[in-house]
Amino acid sequence: MFGLLQRNRPVLLIFSGADRLQFEYQEKFVTPWRAALEKFAALLTVEVIPQANHVLGDPAWMAQARALTGRWLDQRFK
């Protein structure tokens, strides 16, 4: 991810709210790398779909992921 950010490439991360990976990302990546990540704050977008499971098993969760991705793409690559 730092390779993308250092090349001025935007990054979108979408997490499921009911998935432990969101918490692992915070604990194992954001916390230890906070200072390095701060300079890339404008390029890094993190979204969470509340209540969703890891595989976005509900069609509504998949629709939310598509909407978040579409909005992010529109904002970044008009």
Side-chain angles (χ1 to χ4, degrees), residues 4 7 10 17-18 21-23 33-34 37-38 44 49 56-57 60 64-65 69 76:
L4 290 170
R7 289 175 181 80
L21 293 180
Q22 174 196 3
F23 302 104
W33 294 98
R34 186 170 311 281
L37 285 169
E38 284 178 1
L44 178 59
I49 300 173
L56 301 175
Q64 282 183 274
T69 303
R76 295 291 182 168

Side-chain angles (χ1 to χ4, degrees), residues 4-70:
L4 290 170
L5 295 169
Q6 289 169 344
R7 289 175 181 80
N8 204 36
R9 304 279 190 225
V11 173
L12 170 65
L13 298 175
I14 299 176
F15 288 102
S16 304
D19 185 0
R20 65 178 168 70
L21 293 180
Q22 174 196 3
F23 302 104
E24 287 187 15
Y25 167 75
Q26 291 295 325
E27 177 186 354
K28 296 178 181 176
F29 189 74
V30 173
T31 299
W33 294 98
R34 186 170 311 281
L37 285 169
E38 284 178 1
K39 66 181 178 178
F40 299 112
L43 293 172
L44 178 59
T45 304
V46 178
E47 298 284 356
V48 178
I49 300 173
Q51 321 268 306
N53 63 17
H54 180 70
V55 296
L56 301 175
D58 186 303
W61 299 333
M62 188 64 74
Q64 282 183 274
R66 282 193 299 273
L68 289 169
T69 303

